[in-house]
Amino acid sequence: TMVAAMLGRAKGLIDDATMAEYVEAIDNIPSLVKSVLEQKDKIVSLCGSFRFAQSFLYLGRGYNYPVALEGALKLKEISYIHAEGYAAAEMKHGPIALIDKFMPVVIIAPSSDPTYLKIVSNIEEVLARGGSVIAITEEGNHDLDDKCEEVIYVPTTLEFLMPLLAVIPLQLMSYYIADLRKCNVDQPRNLAKSVTVE
């Protein structure tokens, strides 16, 4: 992130004031990560019921699409639950047919995202099909409290830094779901920690 900001500054695409804002926001990330990690008890609690799910769907838009992919990958790697990550805009092209009350849908939904209203529309489509929604959004955004079964809050930061915070609850969910299912999180089956053979 710093390299990209420095390249933008070198090319004249980022002015001094914006660069200072970026540096300050990046400098604050460790303390923001700590505050997300302090939500461990809430995340453990919600994992208690979701550990019985057979499949999960993860949705994100823009910067948060790779977060959805990472959340799904981590869940399937260590808990052996089928999980798929999708760009939320693609939900209508296949995944929507799978949604029912037994399939939790994790949606990364920061209100600072320029496509936030479309994300809320995705949430409403999941709910219309009886789906259960776990939303990740910023502190102070209570738009989703009445819509979603669970809402996990992360601190507010710049839009391009949000994935650094939004991914943490997903990784913790994967860990605690796997632990509750008595999976060995340190040595997942069929998963090589390093590639030694071609």
Side-chain angles (χ1 to χ4, degrees), residues 11-190:
K11 289 184 164 201
L13 301 172
I14 298 174
D15 61 29
D16 289 339
T18 303
M19 185 66 174
E21 179 188 5
Y22 289 177
V23 169
E24 182 181 355
I26 292 167
D27 191 46
N28 288 334
I29 289 295
S31 63
L32 300 179
V33 167
K34 183 178 179 188
S35 72
V36 176
L37 291 171
E38 289 170 355
Q39 297 184 60
K40 172 192 163 211
D41 292 340
K42 176 179 179 160
I43 293 170
V44 170
S45 174
L46 72 89
C47 290
S49 58
F50 290 111
R51 69 181 167 176
F52 298 111
Q54 298 298 308
S55 294
F56 272 76
L57 182 61
Y58 288 74
L59 301 174
R61 285 178 179 264
Y63 290 117
N64 294 301
Y65 168 51
V67 176
L69 293 175
E70 170 63 16
L73 178 66
K74 195 60 63 185
L75 185 70
K76 69 177 107 178
E77 278 182 342
I78 65 173
S79 72
Y80 319 130
I81 294 174
H82 171 256
E84 292 188 47
Y86 268 87
E90 302 297 320
M91 184 178 82
K92 291 184 180 180
H93 302 287
I96 200 165
L98 302 173
I99 295 171
D100 62 19
K101 65 182 178 179
F102 301 110
M103 182 184 227
V105 180
V106 180
I107 301 181
I108 299 93
S111 59
S112 60
D113 189 307
T115 62
Y116 179 68
L117 294 178
K118 291 180 179 181
I119 297 168
V120 172
S121 176
N122 291 132
I123 290 170
E124 290 167 351
E125 288 182 52
V126 171
L127 295 174
R129 285 149 184 83
S132 174
V133 176
I134 303 166
I136 312 292
T137 194
E138 299 106 327
E139 293 170 347
N141 176 23
H142 296 286
D143 296 349
L144 307 176
D145 292 357
D146 295 333
K147 298 178 189 292
C148 302
E149 188 166 335
E150 297 287 348
V151 180
I152 300 171
Y153 299 98
V154 297
T156 301
T157 189
L158 297 176
E159 181 191 0
F160 70 91
L161 296 175
M162 184 57 69
L164 297 174
L165 303 177
V167 75
I168 297 168
L170 304 186
Q171 291 177 335
L172 290 173
M173 280 177 51
S174 298
Y175 175 84
Y176 290 115
I177 287 173
D179 190 53
L180 289 167
R181 291 167 60 97
K182 306 292 185 213
C183 300
N184 185 340
V185 295
D186 294 318
Q187 294 183 321
R189 69 181 182 214
N190 304 327

